[in-house]
Amino acid sequence: MSKSTNLTRKWLLAGTILTTLSIGLPAFAQDTTPPADTTTAPSADTTAAPGVAPADEPTEIVITGSRIRRSEFNAPSPVQIITAEKSSLSGMVSAAEVLQNSSIASGSGQINNTFTGYVVNGGDGINTVSLRGLGAQRSLVLLNGHRMPPAGVGGTVAAVDLNTIPDSVVSRYEILKDGASSIYGSDAVAGVVNIITRKNTDGIELSATTKVSEHTGGDSYEVTGLWGKTFDRGDIMVSLSGYELKELTAGDRDAFACPTNNYFNADGTRADLIDPNTGTYKCFGGATNGYVGTYFPQIYYDYYGFAGYYGSRSIQPGKTSPEGIDGWDFIPLQARDFNNKRLESQSIISPVKTLTLFSSGSYRPAWADGVELYGELLINQRKSEQHGWRTFFPRYNEDSEVNPFAPAFGGLGLMAEPYMAVPSDSKQDVKVFRVLGGARGEIGKWSWDAYLSMSRSDGKYTSDVIPNDRVEAGTATDQRDYHLINGGVACGADAPAGCVPLDVFNQAILEDGQFPQAMADYYFLSQTGKTTYDQDIFEATLTGDLFELPAGPLSSAFGVTIRQDKINDVPGEFSRNANAWGQLTAGITKGQDTVKEVYGEFEIPVVKGKPFFEDLTVDASGRYSDYDTVGSAWTYKLGLDWAVDNILRLRATSGTSFRAPGLFELYLNKQTSFLSQGQVDPCIGWGLKDQGGNYLNPNPTLRANCAADGIAPDYAGFGSSAEITTSGGLNLEPEESQAVSFGFVLTPPDTGFKFAMDFWRIKVANQILSTTSVVNQCYYSEYFRSRPGYCDLFVRDTDQSSADFGRIVSIDASYRNIPTEKTAGIDFTIDYSKEFNFGSLNVSSQITYTAYDKAQTFPGDTFDDYNGLIGDPKWVGDVQSRFTHKDWTYTWTVHYTQASSNIGFAGEDGTGTDAFGTPVHYRANVPDYFTHDFTVRYNAKSWEVIAGVVNLLDKTPPYVGAGLYSGSASRIGNYPFSSQYYSGYIGRQFYLRLSKSF
């Protein structure tokens, strides 16, 4: 089927939603903006149509995407609204759930609580939102129109942690769907999320919400208390809420407890290896196989002989090895069982607890001549933890006294490298404090607003660590190059105090992890790092009409902003001292930046009240920013809003945005980590063939490039790990972007029908990036070494006399500017309301189609298009259908993720060879994915109850195969690893929300 034919089918399907009132496709809330000061925001079905302001609501407000007071329906930029009512009727509890499931975000993977053991910006436990797939660092988050501060742990704090959002007082989420740096400054590249809290509350409200899984694990709870008072000269509100997300472990679901290769023969029969211990398909290393490296953990004994002999030694009681060593026996590596029941305790969804205090208020003193004082206070604490396992494989020189294989083969000796599973847990305690105070008033026909906010994120992060100096002392072996130290005597004279020889060569330790207590106490410790991030902001704005034009007043807004950010991250002592075995080495990251900005915005009425020109307005804005670190930048934005009549409205925007380098991208102290040769070098065994004479790696470009570098076809990749270095780049330039959107809104009177379609395109230049995949990118590139690029960012040992000849020595993963990323697509907004004698019906939908998502890394490179891959579907969205009868509301919500495929991307073709060289097939694509939520609400005068089922049909994600190429899909267990499938990881959940007001 051609691409155009497929697109036509999707358009027809979208158009059928309303005519059939079906609930089988995407949807979200109305694309218009309710007033900012409404106590309870109207839901999508009660919001006025574009171009018609509700008679009982203010007509001039400040909306997201503008500084000028105007009607909420005449802005040229599309804004998506998700009300608190809509999200609660969908069974959502937290801000992370709401925002990450919005159509503008769900087309790409989001950072959530499934990222256990990953290195992510902001540290473990963080939840962020990435709009248009361009990253959280390019998606600005506001609270009541003011910047929220970054929060998290580690040296890479940059984005807003959604755990800090005061969910209990949210009235609605407004999502601006295009760039807005000329209005809000840096980071507003992909869009802006503005979280609006409730206003003008009176009395006390208590609520409790829970979602409990049918299959255990992944449950969530929230309890909230709120008090508010509105009086003649102001108002005040105070809320306190507690939220908890329970852990989902690998052992809670079969798909995580036993990830298999999911390989098949050509005739469709299963081709997976059989576990000799169970007689069933072989499991590979708990939940992490497929995206964290090779077999995990490898509880066996690898060794390399004098002739390059490679095999596996396992503990076999009663057996005698060919070399005469009792209790050990050689078995083929492929037949070894790599799964272990202990790994079932690993976090799939890591647990988190938050406690949030939020207060807001305003006061108009009698002496202040109409000036209003206002303020906000936010105090949030997040406690999160992750439970994982890592492979511990200390190296033993052939002459080490602890090496039981030293006398093998007539005294020649064998290096020992035993693999075992050890816990790798971490936890975070992050406190965020934010206070904001301001004043606003009027001078004649001009309105002014000025505020000062001060924020601090204070975090501690603790993780398990194995001191490298203790391992070296206990093995008498240098852990980087296998050289003998201390004359081969374990715990020699230079050993750290209390040294215990690291003798792990017995079944209790290697297979069961039963370390003697003295050994465990000496080698398995923990370390704690501390991170503070401060952000102070002063901003003043003046808005009003400059003069009258024939079509109306020329409105304007002017403002100044001063913002200062500071970071100070002090990693744990073992990381700082480069003394953490197999873990990151990190220095202190400390730095600050200050920006001073001025901006202006103009709304120019061109034509009004003429045939075919009911209203034509041009909007123009510009901003000048001056950073201490990277200098100055100009941004602008032009918008057109044309109401042809009361049915059709056309709108368009074009403008530039930018993102200044984050503090960590500038100041990140040198971080060093290590990856094995097998994890970084695609040239290992590049010329090997299977039993049928076919290359094990079918990519001819890679084979040619590896051969051109003089790497032997059977190169085994033995040797020390590659050193990965990541540092900040003080010579970085700001990212620059250009965004274009244009669309139309249809609101035929007296039909209850509203429809909007918006085309959008964003291009980002000078992207700031750090990557460790430079070796893969080099050898898979058709340009290879013909131009500057990835091949210049790593060093390979080319000394043929070296014992490590051919190995990757080092990789430079420091932050740098790279050329271009561009993405484009279409947003559809549909809303239909109908009143009946027996009740009212509303069907609302938000759908996003992404046409392409392309990235270019170096000048002249071809663009890689990630659109349509697993985790980056072309079509996403949801539909919510609500029927209200008296005090009862019945809601059905359907979430949709389109079928996706990795076939044809970076060598992925769904075929390959297993460990024995036998040709196999595996799934590298996934079908359409739907989940359904159903709730019932009873709304009495002073209390409300919502009950229902989330993921009603208990829909689980599809299985995918353990891919063999760089273009293979990431997996978590047997499932695709992406946030679109989060609900499927948990399965059916029962939802209950109770609230009572006094």
Side-chain angles (χ1 to χ4, degrees):
M1 179 183 296
S2 69
K3 186 174 182 180
S4 59
T5 303
N6 189 49
L7 182 60
T8 301
R9 288 186 60 197
K10 297 294 183 181
W11 276 52
L12 291 173
L13 189 56
T16 305
I17 294 177
L18 277 305
T19 57
T20 62
L21 296 182
S22 70
I23 51 176
L25 260 189
F28 247 18
Q30 166 73 354
D31 192 54
T32 52
T33 310
D37 55 355
T38 303
T39 300
T40 302
S43 59
D45 53 298
T46 60
T47 304
V52 181
D56 59 344
E57 294 175 350
T59 58
E60 297 297 323
I61 61 172
V62 176
I63 65 173
T64 301
S66 175
R67 302 282 185 171
I68 297 175
R69 293 177 176 271
R70 64 180 80 195
S71 168
E72 68 265 33
F73 303 118
N74 64 1
S77 298
V79 178
Q80 176 179 344
I81 301 299
I82 308 171
T83 64
E85 179 187 33
K86 174 183 172 59
S87 58
S88 62
L89 290 175
S90 299
M92 297 181 184
V93 179
S94 68
E97 287 182 283
V98 176
L99 294 173
Q100 292 180 352
N101 281 284
S102 63
S103 63
I104 188 175
S106 60
S108 61
Q110 304 290 319
I111 301 298
N112 56 26
N113 291 87
T114 60
F115 280 78
T116 296
Y118 278 83
V119 178
V120 297
N121 289 347
D124 291 331
I126 196 171
N127 280 243
T128 58
V129 61
S130 167
L131 304 178
R132 304 294 192 203
L134 292 176
Q137 71 275 26
R138 302 184 186 98
S139 305
L140 182 62
V141 178
L142 310 174
L143 182 65
N144 293 322
H146 306 128
R147 277 180 180 260
M148 281 289 286
V153 295
T156 58
V157 174
V160 172
D161 182 4
L162 299 180
N163 290 298
T164 64
I165 303 301
D167 307 317
S168 61
V169 295
V170 172
S171 170
R172 64 188 181 275
Y173 303 87
E174 300 180 355
I175 305 178
L176 181 68
K177 297 182 179 182
D178 61 3
S181 283
S182 62
I183 302 296
Y184 297 110
S186 179
D187 307 337
V189 174
V192 179
V193 174
N194 190 10
I195 300 158
I196 307 298
T197 60
R198 298 172 57 184
K199 306 290 183 183
N200 304 321
T201 57
D202 270 300
I204 297 174
E205 295 182 17
L206 302 175
S207 65
T209 307
T210 183
K211 283 200 298 186
V212 179
S213 171
E214 177 182 338
H215 309 291
T216 72
D219 301 342
S220 58
Y221 307 89
E222 185 175 57
V223 178
T224 296
L226 180 149
W227 171 81
K229 179 67 175 177
T230 301
F231 46 93
D232 289 342
R233 292 190 174 274
D235 64 90
I236 186 171
M237 178 184 65
V238 180
S239 73
L240 181 65
S241 61
Y243 171 78
E244 180 177 10
L245 174 64
K246 293 287 189 180
E247 183 179 34
L248 176 71
T249 67
D252 289 334
R253 304 289 187 273
D254 291 342
F256 301 126
C258 181
T260 59
N261 280 333
N262 295 314
Y263 290 161
F264 295 86
N265 296 308
D267 61 2
T269 58
R270 193 74 176 264
D272 278 9
L273 300 176
I274 300 297
D275 185 335
N277 295 326
T278 64
T280 59
Y281 295 118
K282 182 176 176 179
C283 304
F284 283 90
T288 60
N289 180 61
Y291 63 88
V292 168
T294 54
Y295 310 123
F296 180 93
Q298 300 173 3
I299 310 175
Y300 63 95
Y301 169 79
D302 284 341
Y303 67 91
Y304 309 99
F306 63 94
Y309 179 52
Y310 177 68
S312 172
R313 294 273 164 194
S314 73
I315 301 172
Q316 300 286 323
K319 295 287 186 71
T320 299
S321 72
E323 295 82 27
I325 303 176
D326 292 337
W328 292 83
D329 191 22
F330 171 83
I331 60 173
L333 177 62
Q334 293 87 351
R336 191 77 180 123
D337 175 26
F338 297 131
N339 203 40
N340 186 278
K341 286 294 182 182
R342 286 176 292 151
L343 296 184
E344 294 184 3
S345 65
Q346 175 166 310
S347 300
I348 297 298
I349 297 176
S350 58
V352 63
K353 296 179 181 179
T354 64
L355 184 64
T356 305
L357 172 69
F358 179 79
S359 179
S360 65
S362 64
Y363 181 62
R364 296 177 296 277
W367 48 264
D369 193 25
V371 172
E372 181 180 70
L373 307 178
Y374 63 92
E376 293 177 355
L377 174 66
L378 172 66
I379 302 175
N380 171 272
Q381 182 177 28
R382 185 245 297 178
K383 290 188 175 182
S384 52
E385 55 188 290
Q386 300 78 38
H387 305 120
W389 293 85
R390 62 183 296 203
T391 307
F392 179 41
F393 49 98
R395 286 116 180 199
Y396 295 78
N397 184 279
E398 59 267 25
D399 292 323
S400 169
E401 68 173 8
V402 197
N403 183 353
F405 299 97
F409 286 131
L412 290 176
L414 297 173
M415 185 203 76
E417 192 174 67
Y419 281 62
M420 63 208 83
V422 297
S424 182
D425 297 339
S426 57
K427 58 183 179 181
Q428 305 80 41
D429 187 347
V430 183
K431 300 180 180 69
V432 175
F433 175 85
R434 176 181 181 264
V435 60
L436 181 148
R440 52 195 167 214
E442 295 183 355
I443 303 176
K445 295 184 178 181
W446 291 80
S447 300
W448 61 271
D449 189 341
Y451 74 90
L452 174 67
S453 72
M454 294 182 290
S455 307
R456 164 167 280 211
S457 169
D458 191 346
K460 295 182 179 179
Y461 53 108
T462 301
S463 60
D464 290 341
V465 65
I466 304 172
N468 190 67
D469 60 347
R470 299 191 182 193
V471 175
E472 293 189 336
T475 60
T477 304
D478 186 299
Q479 292 299 295
R480 287 298 318 284
D481 59 17
Y482 310 101
H483 291 162
L484 193 70
I485 61 176
N486 294 328
V489 178
C491 296
D494 297 330
C499 183
V500 177
L502 189 57
D503 185 358
V504 297
F505 297 93
N506 62 73
Q507 187 173 16
I509 294 177
L510 283 183
E511 297 194 6
D512 301 323
Q514 298 177 4
F515 290 87
Q517 193 61 48
M519 187 182 296
D521 292 343
Y522 186 72
Y523 289 101
F524 305 121
L525 308 180
S526 65
Q527 63 174 344
T528 298
K530 297 181 180 180
T531 307
T532 59
Y533 194 105
D534 297 282
Q535 184 179 82
D536 299 326
I537 303 173
F538 170 77
E539 183 170 83
T541 304
L542 184 67
T543 62
D545 297 338
L546 290 175
F547 47 82
E548 285 289 327
L549 295 173
L554 191 156
S555 301
S556 63
F558 304 95
V560 296
T561 300
I562 302 174
R563 187 177 78 250
Q564 184 180 74
D565 291 75
K566 297 180 181 179
I567 190 172
N568 185 19
D569 173 62
V570 182
E573 60 174 313
F574 295 102
S575 292
R576 292 200 313 272
N577 298 327
N579 192 28
W581 184 94
Q583 287 181 283
L584 193 70
T585 295
I588 296 174
T589 295
K590 185 176 183 179
Q592 69 178 52
D593 198 6
T594 300
V595 58
K596 305 175 185 68
E597 301 175 293
V598 294
Y599 57 87
E601 182 183 4
F602 303 91
E603 182 188 79
I604 308 167
V606 180
V607 182
K608 189 175 182 68
K610 303 294 183 181
F612 302 107
F613 288 93
E614 182 69 24
D615 188 8
L616 176 62
T617 303
V618 174
D619 190 87
S621 59
R623 175 179 290 254
Y624 174 77
S625 305
D626 185 17
Y627 283 81
D628 287 350
T629 55
V630 294
S632 60
W634 281 96
T635 54
Y636 73 88
K637 186 174 181 179
L638 299 174
L640 174 71
D641 186 62
W642 177 14
V644 178
D645 50 28
N646 65 345
I647 298 176
L648 175 63
R649 178 180 293 273
L650 307 177
R651 58 191 181 190
T653 65
S654 177
T656 59
S657 292
F658 80 105
R659 184 179 77 86
L663 293 182
F664 75 92
E665 292 166 331
L666 290 168
Y667 297 109
L668 184 68
N669 205 329
K670 182 178 180 180
Q671 292 189 347
T672 303
S673 58
F674 300 94
L675 290 174
S676 69
Q677 297 296 312
Q679 290 176 288
V680 300
D681 193 351
C683 289
I684 294 174
W686 66 264
L688 298 179
K689 299 181 179 181
D690 61 24
Q691 297 171 343
N694 302 309
Y695 283 105
L696 297 181
N697 192 313
N699 190 291
T701 300
L702 176 133
R703 297 199 305 270
N705 291 340
C706 292
D709 260 3
I711 301 169
D714 60 350
Y715 172 61
F718 297 154
S720 306
S721 297
E723 182 181 62
I724 317 296
T725 301
T726 306
S727 299
L730 293 178
N731 296 319
L732 292 174
E733 298 179 0
E735 296 181 347
E736 300 174 349
S737 68
Q738 185 168 33
V740 175
S741 71
F742 58 93
F744 64 89
V745 181
L746 290 175
T747 56
D750 304 321
T751 65
F753 174 77
K754 311 178 189 78
F755 177 83
M757 178 186 296
D758 291 285
F759 300 81
W760 50 269
R761 184 181 73 237
I762 302 174
K763 180 180 179 180
V764 184
N766 278 342
Q767 287 190 92
I768 301 171
L769 178 71
S770 168
T771 179
T772 61
S773 64
V774 298
V775 186
N776 267 313
Q777 298 288 349
C778 169
Y779 286 102
Y780 277 100
S781 171
E782 59 186 288
Y783 303 109
F784 192 41
R785 299 188 182 277
S786 63
R787 60 178 58 168
Y790 281 118
C791 298
D792 303 312
L793 301 179
F794 66 91
V795 176
R796 187 185 286 276
D797 188 341
T798 58
D799 182 359
Q800 296 192 9
S801 64
S802 170
D804 286 335
F805 170 67
R807 80 175 180 93
I808 304 296
V809 178
S810 62
I811 296 175
D812 181 3
S814 297
Y815 288 95
R816 54 180 50 85
N817 290 104
I818 63 172
T820 305
E821 182 174 359
K822 54 186 180 181
T823 182
I826 309 171
D827 291 327
F828 301 89
T829 304
I830 309 168
D831 192 89
Y832 176 75
S833 297
K834 178 69 174 178
E835 293 289 338
F836 302 94
N837 292 333
F838 51 88
S840 61
L841 172 71
N842 173 256
V843 181
S844 61
S845 176
Q846 277 276 350
I847 306 165
T848 293
Y849 166 73
T850 303
Y852 59 80
D853 182 7
K854 299 179 179 180
Q856 178 192 46
T857 307
F858 288 97
D861 284 0
T862 56
F863 282 87
D864 293 319
D865 192 350
Y866 299 91
N867 188 37
L869 300 181
I870 298 174
D872 290 277
K874 294 185 177 183
W875 289 87
V876 294
D878 59 48
V879 172
Q880 187 175 89
S881 300
R882 281 182 286 171
F883 183 80
T884 301
H885 173 67
K886 295 184 178 179
D887 297 327
W888 295 86
T889 301
Y890 306 88
T891 304
W892 192 293
T893 306
V894 182
H895 307 274
Y896 171 69
T897 300
Q898 191 198 19
S900 306
S901 175
N902 281 49
I903 299 295
F905 180 72
E908 178 63 86
D909 61 2
T911 66
T913 56
D914 66 11
F916 293 100
T918 304
V920 295
H921 300 260
Y922 57 88
R923 172 178 280 178
N925 60 286
V926 294
D928 290 339
Y929 184 70
F930 293 89
T931 60
H932 302 257
D933 309 324
F934 178 73
T935 64
V936 178
R937 176 178 66 181
Y938 179 75
N939 191 357
K941 289 184 178 180
S942 63
W943 60 275
E944 179 184 85
V945 59
I946 304 175
V949 184
V950 176
N951 196 353
L952 178 68
L953 303 182
D954 199 19
K955 183 70 173 179
T956 59
Y959 275 26
V960 292
L964 300 170
Y965 309 104
S966 60
S968 299
S970 297
R971 299 200 310 166
I972 180 168
N974 290 303
Y975 294 146
F977 182 40
S978 193
S979 55
Q980 295 95 350
Y981 304 99
Y982 181 89
S983 178
Y985 299 161
I986 301 175
R988 184 184 292 120
Q989 289 182 288
F990 301 103
Y991 172 73
L992 178 66
R993 185 179 189 275
L994 303 172
S995 60
K996 170 70 176 175
S997 60
F998 301 90

